[in-house]
Amino acid sequence: MYRRHCGAAAITLVCALAVLASPVQAFAAPALPGPADPPVPSSAPASPGGKSLEEVRLEIDELYRKAGAATDAYNLAEEKAKKQSGELVELAQSIVEGQAKIAELKDRAGAQAREQYRNAGLPPGARLMLSGDPQLFLDGISRARQGQHATKGLLGELTRTQQDLETYTKDANTNWKKLEADRVKQAKAKKKINAQIAAAKKLESRLEKQERARLRELEREAALRAQNAWLGSGALTEINREASPLGKKAVAFATAQIGKPYVWGAEGPRSYDCSGLTSQAWAAAGRPIPRTSQEQWRLLPHIAIGDMRPGDLIIYHADATHVGMYVGDGQIVHAPRPGRDVTLAGAGSMRILGVVRPDA
């Protein structure tokens, strides 16, 4: 019965390990609209669809923000899948070891049964009584008791091992179901990401060359307005705080990636998404942190904006779907969105949710 049960588990785990060997892409989480932009000037050029370029810019920005939200969801599902994959591998090893141990215990039990058969099936006490040798009888009593204890221990160990094997098999089946559920989440998030990015690209592709150039200029102007408003609010009163030793390492890594393209789900070394950049930078500094911007916001210590120092992470949007690393002088380094490269930007150029410190 146990061999059939464990055999089924082994088949399940073989399938699991085969799936685990297949490459999995990685996503960050759903984003809410940022602060409202000022009214669009009536002289703004109009797109072929009748919308002003400013309206097109806002629509494209929203599409990419939604793609970033799905990216966070994808990345979180991937992290869970990685953890479950590792647990499945450990359980597979435990099942193999348990099966080997049961086989060994059964061999030992079989050897004892064969020994009893060779002695005509008489229990040890009866054989000693028939020996007629008092000293042999006394010596044999001690050995018989030892043998009884050994047999009892053998049966107990066999029972415990079989119970452990059943537990390993149950846990493996549970982890397999969780793994499959997270892979479904990944697939849905991937589909949403690609749909949002495709819609944004299609919208931009309808513009003429001069309109696309003007669109980039509008992006820069909007970011500059937001940055100046943030600095003018007095939110950042001290911009020259010194980074911690680990923070300096994280900043050095992040700034060295400037110019590399944004790719959703990427963690380097050739491309990054927003949280892929920050998590890898702090990993390079020797302080691993959560993979996604939402988990970074949820799990890392929060600090006041006025107390920021280089290396701290600024979390953006109400749903924590974007993150950048503060590098000093009111600037961040971040991976903005598809179609853009890792770059420096104003720390206040997007709506700030809060600040976290990985090495607090």
Side-chain angles (χ1 to χ4, degrees), residues 211-272:
E211 290 176 320
R212 288 196 293 272
R214 176 57 181 154
L215 187 66
R216 293 293 294 267
E217 184 61 28
L218 288 175
E219 290 177 1
R220 288 190 288 269
E221 290 174 0
L224 183 60
R225 286 197 303 270
Q227 174 73 351
N228 288 338
W230 180 64
L231 292 175
S233 70
L236 194 64
T237 57
E238 173 59 69
I239 62 174
N240 294 312
R241 297 180 187 277
E242 185 176 357
S244 66
L246 290 181
K248 290 179 180 178
K249 292 180 180 179
V251 169
F253 180 95
T255 53
Q257 313 312 310
I258 290 176
K260 294 182 179 180
Y262 176 105
V263 173
W264 66 264
E267 299 178 81
R270 295 182 177 85
S271 57
Y272 297 88

Side-chain angles (χ1 to χ4, degrees), residues 18 28 35 45 49 56-57 96 103 118 135 175 179 194 196 206-207 212 217 220 244 246-247 268 270 275 312:
V56 172
R57 180 189 73 79
V96 170
R118 282 194 295 267
Q135 186 59 47
N175 274 31
L179 179 62
N194 289 332
Q196 300 290 352
R206 294 174 179 173
L207 301 174
R212 288 196 293 272
E217 184 61 28
R220 288 190 288 269
S244 66
L246 290 181
R270 295 182 177 85
S275 57
D312 290 344

